[in-house]
Structures are given as C-alpha cells and as structure tokens.
Amino acid sequence: SAVPHVIAWGCTIVVSSSAVLQHLRLLTGFAVGMGSAVAPCYINEVAPAALRGPLGIAFQFALTLGILLVNVAGDYGPVVEEVHRHLFGNWRRLAMVGATVASVLLSMACTPESPKWLAQRGRMAEAVAALTALRSGETSAEEAALAATARAADAGRDAAVGAPRLSDYKLSLVVAVGGMVFQQLSGVNAIMMYSTSICAQAGMADPAVAALGIMVAQVALTGAASGLVELAGRRSLMQASGASMCLSHLALAYYMAAAERGWWAPPWLALASLAVFIVGFSTGMGPVPWVVVGEVFPGEVLGSASAVATAVMWICSFNVCLGFPALQAALGKSGVFLLFAGFCFGCLAFVTALVPETKGRSVDEVLELLRARASSYPALAAAMSLAKENLATPAR
C-alpha cells in the first residue's frame, strides 16, 4: 500500500486541477483500504500467542494517533491565509508530510514475510528464517507449529482436497463483520462531530482545544486497551463497551432534548457522557474487533476474511458520515443519539449472544465454541445449514 500512497501524495504536492486531486484522493483511499486489510492480518500471523491482543490493538492505536496528528497539523500547521475569520493550512506542505510518511512505509519491504504464510505454501526453510528474524528468544515450539502447518497443507494437496474457502466459516464471518458494523454504528463519528459544540455549551474557553483533548484521550485509552485486552478478555471488553456507549448516548439524548426545552441540563452531564463514551469505545469496540477478526479464522482464509471485514467497516463508516446530516434533520439531535443508543444496545446483545472469548485459545478451539453457540440458536443453525447446502449445489 506504500506505493499508491507515495504516488498520490507526491502528485498532490504539484497538481492544481480539482479533477486530478479528486482522483488522487481516490488513490489514497485505495491505499488506506489495502493497508487496513493487510496490516491486521500480518500482525496476527507474526505475533506470539501471548501478544496477539496487545499487538492487534496496535493497528487501532495507529489509526487514532494518525487522526490526532492530522487534526493538529490541519489546525496548527503552516497558515497561509485567513478567509472569513477561518485559518487555512498550506495543504501542499501537508501533502509533503504525507509523502514523507508514505516513503517511510516503503521500508516494510525489508521486513520478513509471515512465517505462517510461508509454511502454508511448503516453504519451510524460508518460514524458519523469517521466524528467526522476528524472534530474539527460543523458537523451537513455534518451529514445531510451523512444521505441523506445513504437513497439514501438504496432506491437503496430496489428497487433492480443495483449499478451505471463506464460505466454510460463515459464523466466523458473522462475528467478524458484525463487530466492524457495530463499531461504526456506535456513533463515534457523531460524538466527534458534536464534541466541539458540547464543550462550547459547557462554557469552556477554547472548545476546539477541548475537542482536541478528547482525541488525545482516545489515543491514550486505546494504548491502555493493549494491556486490558489480555487481562479482561476480548468479549468482556466488548460487552462493557456496548453497555457504556449505550448509556452515554441515552444521557446525551436527554441533554440535547433538555437543552432545547429549557429543562435541567447541567453542562457536566454532557462532558461526563463524552468521557464515558470515549473510555468505552477506546477500550472496547474501537480496537477489539480488529483483534477478534484475526482469532476466528484459520490462516488459510484470514487474508480474505480481513479484506471483507475491512471493506465492510469502511463502507459503514462512509455511509454513517454521509447520512448523519440527513438523520439529524429527520430525527433531531436527541433523536440521533437515541438511535445510536439502540445500535449500542444491539451491539451488547450481539456480543453476548454470538461472540466467544478468544483470549488464550487456538483457532480450532474458537471454531468449536462458535459451532456450540450456533447450535444454541436453532434458527441460526438452520440458516447456516441452508447456506452451506446452497453453496454445495452446482449451478444449472
């Protein structure tokens, strides 16, 4: 993904045509999508079992840190002009920063290939060499696991068994994609959009700086989640996140309605709701779904699964941001937050019903837990069985 980034940002520095700039933005989006799918997959495959959670959260941490740095650069970067009392940064210089960062990303070409990916393709010598480069301690146990992976792949090829397909893991797809959907339907974008106005209503002298402080808190809390994910577990963090975000949205819905009608609406209520939401999202539904995606699929289909989950996440993000003004016009401020409270309650129910605890478990153990959960819901089991039969029936 570094190459399209370098091309897009490099060309942005010099072009002036709005049409060309729009195409370059599309190229940047393509690069972001590619990196969003590949990075979590690579992290999961090279991380030791004990560090799958913390390293998996590193991707969301990088996302939030990048958003913070972009906002800082946009608000406090080189100012070139003032139009209608608004300060505009020099976007060509900001593009130079983007091109520089993208050039650093090219250094990923020097990193070792995933040992698991190499073992699945029978390239054991390269897999061991890559593992040795990635580890500083004893690797005999991991080498034995790679050898078992290579033997299983060879046995499948010798028996002429078709490679595993993503469609064979439907419930894993439901869990992975559902987590990404609820991540975006949590209303995090609405919270960020309203953070400045809420801080202004609370009487803060500089609401923009306060809103920037919320972004800083999100980065710090996402970093803290890297420790919590191994202590509390993935499922517990997602459940706590869904519950806290639901309560935050309910409180904000009341605050918005009360402020409009002149009822009791203390500013601290809105600020407390913001704080609870940021804590809940940043330690749960923000980073943890990325970890879960890597733990509910076997390595043979993880790349495809990561691509599908990432695509769904960005599609949902785009639609939520695009549709938010229309929702606000139709439902009002309080109505929008009530809607997001409903989505967060649905998230809590979804996690409780379907998402297993993946901490400390192998993929086979997780898949067995998923099958047990499916059997607990006859309608879901019947739907999965019907889908399997349909896929197995040849087209006429």
Side-chain angles (χ1 to χ4, degrees):
S1 66
V3 174
H5 268 304
V6 171
I7 295 172
W9 287 116
C11 293
T12 299
I13 296 170
V14 297
V15 302
S16 298
S17 166
S18 61
V20 174
L21 285 171
Q22 289 173 16
H23 284 88
L24 291 174
R25 294 301 296 157
L26 287 174
L27 183 59
T28 305
F30 171 77
V32 169
M34 185 189 305
S36 300
V38 173
C41 182
Y42 180 79
I43 291 171
N44 178 269
E45 290 188 350
V46 302
L51 294 178
R52 276 190 332 222
L55 291 179
I57 283 176
F59 177 74
Q60 178 72 7
F61 177 81
L63 267 180
T64 56
L65 180 61
I67 292 171
L68 171 64
L69 294 178
V70 166
N71 276 273
V72 170
D75 289 339
Y76 304 100
V79 175
V80 295
E81 60 181 343
E82 181 177 341
V83 179
H84 301 302
R85 302 185 198 179
H86 292 284
L87 299 177
F88 289 85
N90 189 320
W91 55 271
R92 293 191 189 277
R93 293 180 185 176
L94 293 176
M96 291 179 189
V97 175
T100 302
V101 174
S103 299
V104 174
L105 189 60
L106 288 171
S107 64
M108 285 296 295
C110 302
T111 60
E113 182 54 88
S114 161
K116 187 179 295 185
W117 185 87
L118 292 168
Q120 288 166 355
R121 283 148 186 81
R123 298 157 61 178
M124 267 305 296
E126 295 174 72
V128 172
L131 181 65
T132 303
L134 288 165
R135 302 286 188 268
S136 59
E138 176 62 38
T139 61
S140 57
E142 291 184 275
E143 287 180 28
L146 289 176
T149 298
R151 286 194 298 270
D154 288 340
R157 283 190 291 268
D158 293 341
V161 177
R165 299 174 301 175
L166 188 56
S167 58
D168 296 332
Y169 303 94
K170 298 177 190 65
L171 196 52
S172 295
L173 265 177
V174 170
V175 169
V177 172
M180 292 302 184
V181 169
F182 280 115
Q183 180 194 72
Q184 296 305 310
L185 294 183
S186 67
V188 61
N189 293 309
I191 290 289
M192 291 305 179
M193 287 177 186
Y194 270 112
S195 58
T196 301
S197 63
I198 291 174
C199 291
Q201 290 177 24
M204 293 191 171
D206 195 336
V209 172
L212 194 64
I214 291 174
M215 295 183 190
V216 173
Q218 186 178 15
V219 173
L221 289 166
T222 303
S226 63
L228 291 174
V229 74
E230 290 300 332
L231 291 174
R234 287 68 156 149
R235 187 169 182 263
S236 298
L237 286 177
M238 293 172 76
Q239 287 175 313
S241 178
S244 61
M245 291 189 301
C246 180
L247 292 175
S248 299
H249 281 306
L250 289 174
L252 283 170
Y254 167 79
Y255 175 81
M256 294 295 180
E260 290 174 356
R261 293 165 174 78
W263 301 344
W264 180 78
W268 62 261
L269 177 62
L271 294 176
S273 300
L274 279 177
V276 171
F277 181 90
I278 292 300
V279 171
F281 180 83
S282 300
T283 57
M285 287 306 297
V288 177
W290 293 105
V291 178
V292 171
V293 168
E295 295 180 327
V296 296
F297 294 98
E300 294 85 352
V301 300
L302 179 56
S304 300
S306 179
V308 170
T310 302
V312 170
M313 186 276 291
W314 286 119
I315 290 170
C316 288
S317 176
F318 173 80
N319 282 291
V320 169
C321 292
L322 184 66
F324 182 77
L327 281 175
Q328 180 182 337
L331 303 176
K333 293 180 180 180
S334 59
V336 168
F337 285 109
L338 279 176
L339 177 65
F340 285 127
F343 286 141
C344 290
F345 182 79
C347 171
L348 174 60
F350 170 82
V351 173
T352 301
L354 292 178
V355 179
E357 179 53 70
T358 59
K359 182 187 77 170
R361 292 190 168 105
S362 67
V363 172
D364 289 336
E365 291 172 327
V366 171
L367 292 175
E368 185 59 37
L369 284 173
L370 284 171
R371 283 190 286 268
R373 285 186 177 274
S375 64
S376 301
Y377 301 95
L380 179 61
M384 294 294 176
S385 177
L386 180 61
K388 185 174 183 179
E389 292 174 5
N390 290 337
L391 288 170
T393 302
R396 294 182 179 178

